[in-house]
Amino acid sequence: MKGKKTLYIAFIVIGLCFTAAALILWEAVPNSLGGALMGSGSGMAAIGLTQLLMLRLATKDPAQARRKEIEVNDERNVAIRRRAKALSGDVLQWVVIAASWVSLGFDAPLWVTLAAIVTFVSKSVLEVYLVARYQREM
């Protein structure tokens, strides 16, 4: 518990340092670097703050925290999350293919189309590998 709290406080501090660096170096750094510093700093600070608040909430009401942990690890909820991830992967696969067709239509550089195709093929190969692996295990 103490280690998690220290980690989340470190996230907040580092995030605020990144954000401050982006604001201080506004004119001295390129926009892309300033944007990356601001985005990652804001994200780290927000993640640290929300996790710290969730940890505080768990310490205030341990019964509710136990109920939530049981619910998260429940077999039915795990199956629902896995099914949702699988379906979202299928949808994303077809969005990547559609993006490759759109990139062809807009005369985008060839590497954009090839990157989309490589992503599609990689996802398909990974899917076949995982199906074979899980069939051996189960």
Side-chain angles (χ1 to χ4, degrees):
M1 187 79 82
K2 183 79 167 162
K4 285 185 178 181
K5 186 176 182 179
T6 305
L7 176 69
Y8 299 145
I9 290 173
F11 262 51
I12 293 170
V13 170
I14 293 170
L16 291 176
C17 288
F18 280 3
T19 304
L23 293 174
I24 291 170
L25 301 172
W26 185 272
E27 297 292 326
V29 297
N31 284 341
S32 59
L33 179 61
L37 282 172
M38 181 64 77
S40 40
S42 301
M44 286 178 73
I47 288 171
L49 184 63
T50 55
Q51 292 298 324
L52 196 62
L53 291 174
M54 294 299 289
L55 191 62
R56 183 169 181 250
L57 195 69
T59 57
K60 285 181 105 175
D61 191 3
Q64 182 182 5
R66 276 193 302 277
R67 282 192 304 270
K68 185 173 182 176
E69 184 178 341
I70 289 170
E71 183 178 314
V72 165
N73 296 327
D74 179 46
E75 191 175 305
R76 179 177 177 266
N77 289 333
V78 169
I80 289 171
R81 277 195 308 275
R82 286 181 179 167
R83 187 173 181 185
K85 285 180 183 181
L87 182 60
S88 67
D90 288 342
V91 169
L92 184 61
Q93 174 181 344
W94 294 110
V95 167
V96 166
I97 289 300
S100 69
W101 280 102
V102 168
S103 72
L104 283 173
F106 285 128
D107 289 331
L110 184 60
W111 69 267
V112 174
T113 305
L114 290 177
I117 292 170
V118 166
T119 303
F120 174 81
V121 170
S122 299
K123 190 261 182 198
S124 299
V125 168
L126 181 63
E127 186 176 327
V128 169
Y129 166 75
L130 290 174
V131 166
R133 179 179 161 198
Y134 291 151
Q135 283 179 345
R136 278 194 316 265
E137 290 176 3
M138 294 180 173

